[in-house]
């Protein structure tokens, strides 16, 4: 018996899910938004059958829910979701950082550092436009994703990806990587990378915790804490 139809169906589901993720990243899907199946189909550029099969997965992950008489609702951001998402992020990333500090190569760290320095130089040399914000966001999340994936645990990576979507929704509702936030966020990363380069596990954990808590406070509308360590010559 041919398995081709099931393979195609699985591929369409995966494409629909990837497209949903990208729509969150691109801020085309907003927290608390109501949307019909057909509107979602048009937004994702996927057939209705694939969208209908996608919905149960999104509901199970808490990213979408069906509201009688209203349609589909994207996860609503509230204080409980914010605190839970950032607590989970702390737990997962601290575990990843402990491994990453001993396994990442000097060459990879140099490349990671350079990508951050390039963003900071661009931000300081001219106006911060949408293209720079997009590139900075990719560099920002790229480091966090890399640390998680370096664990080599697909279950942890999947949980982290789902939680990252929640955090992105939270940031859409609260505070995104804006021009005012970009340089401080990049400097926090460089400060974290400096501890990685020294292979100082304790400093890595402290600085990672500070960075995540800074983002947590920012989406709550509270002042970000000052860095307790200095970053010399970030350029």
């Amino acid at each position: 018996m041919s398995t081709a139809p099931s393979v195609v169906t699985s591929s369409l589901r995966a494409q629909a899910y990837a497209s949903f993720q990208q729509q969150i990243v691109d801020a085309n899907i907003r927290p608390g938004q109501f949307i019909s199946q057909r509107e979602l189909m048009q937004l994702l550029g996927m057939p209705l059958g694939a969208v209908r099969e996608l919905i149960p997965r999104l509901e199970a992950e808490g990213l979408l829910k069906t509201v009688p008489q209203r349609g589909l609702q994207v996860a609503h951001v509230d204080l409980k979701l914010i605190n839970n998402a950032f607590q989970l992020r702390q737990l997962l990333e601290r575990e990843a950082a402990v491994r990453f500090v001993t396994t990442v190569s000097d060459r990879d760290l140099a490349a990671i550092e350079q990508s951050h320095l390039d963003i900071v130089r661009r931000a300081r040399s001219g106006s911060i436009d949408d293209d720079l914000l997009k590139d900075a966001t990719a560099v920002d999340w790229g480091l966090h994703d890399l640390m998680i994936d370096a664990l080599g645990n697909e279950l942890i990576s999947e949980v982290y990806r789902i939680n990252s979507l929640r955090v992105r929704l939270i940031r859409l509702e609260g505070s995104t990587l804006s021009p005012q936030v970009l340089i401080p966020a990049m400097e926090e990363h460089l400060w974290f990378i400096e501890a990685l380069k020294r292979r100082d596990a304790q400093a890595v954990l402290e600085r990672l915790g500070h960075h995540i808590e800074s983002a947590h406070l920012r989406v709550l509308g509270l002042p970000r804490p000052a860095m307790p360590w200095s970053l010399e010559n970030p350029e």
Side-chain angles (χ1 to χ4, degrees), residues 132-234:
L132 178 53
L133 288 172
K134 184 176 180 179
D135 291 345
T137 299
V139 168
D140 185 338
W141 282 98
L143 174 55
H144 295 283
D145 290 344
L146 180 63
M147 286 198 305
I148 290 292
D149 289 341
L151 286 170
N153 187 314
E154 294 179 359
L155 295 178
I156 292 177
S157 290
E158 180 65 15
V159 169
Y160 183 79
R161 293 289 182 273
I162 295 168
N163 197 58
S164 291
L165 292 178
R166 297 190 190 103
V167 172
R168 288 174 187 267
L169 282 173
I170 288 167
R171 288 184 170 181
L172 290 176
E173 184 72 1
S175 175
T176 60
L177 191 57
S178 64
Q180 296 75 24
V181 171
L182 188 153
I183 291 178
M186 289 294 104
E187 288 181 337
E188 283 185 354
H189 267 221
L190 285 166
W191 172 61
F192 170 67
I193 292 166
E194 189 274 331
L196 284 170
K197 289 170 64 178
R198 288 191 287 108
R199 310 294 175 172
D200 186 337
Q202 185 60 36
V204 163
L205 289 176
E206 290 171 348
R207 295 179 183 194
L208 175 66
H210 182 281
H211 176 61
I212 295 174
E213 183 59 17
S214 178
H216 187 184
L217 292 173
R218 191 166 69 244
V219 301
L220 293 174
L222 299 173
R224 60 185 286 270
M227 290 191 294
W229 297 273
S230 64
L231 179 65
E232 297 181 358
N233 191 22

Side-chain angles (χ1 to χ4, degrees), residues 26-112:
D26 293 341
N28 294 325
I29 292 177
R30 309 290 301 188
Q33 173 185 352
F34 282 95
I35 188 169
S36 70
Q37 287 188 15
R38 291 197 175 275
E39 288 172 335
L40 187 58
M41 174 189 72
Q42 294 170 354
L43 184 63
L44 301 184
M46 300 298 298
L48 186 58
V51 170
R52 285 175 173 165
E53 292 194 8
L54 172 67
I55 290 170
R57 177 178 180 179
L58 296 177
E59 289 182 316
E61 294 177 356
L63 298 171
L64 201 69
K65 69 176 180 178
T66 300
V67 180
Q69 311 303 319
R70 297 291 303 274
L72 304 170
Q73 185 180 25
V74 180
H76 176 69
V77 172
D78 57 19
L79 183 60
K80 180 179 180 181
L81 176 63
I82 291 171
N83 290 338
N84 287 349
F86 275 94
Q87 182 181 28
L88 179 57
R89 186 179 172 190
Q90 283 272 20
L91 289 171
L92 295 177
E93 291 198 36
R94 285 176 66 86
E95 178 67 23
V98 169
R99 177 75 64 85
F100 195 68
V101 73
T102 62
T103 59
V104 64
S105 69
D106 291 341
R107 181 177 181 179
D108 286 344
L109 278 177
I112 291 167

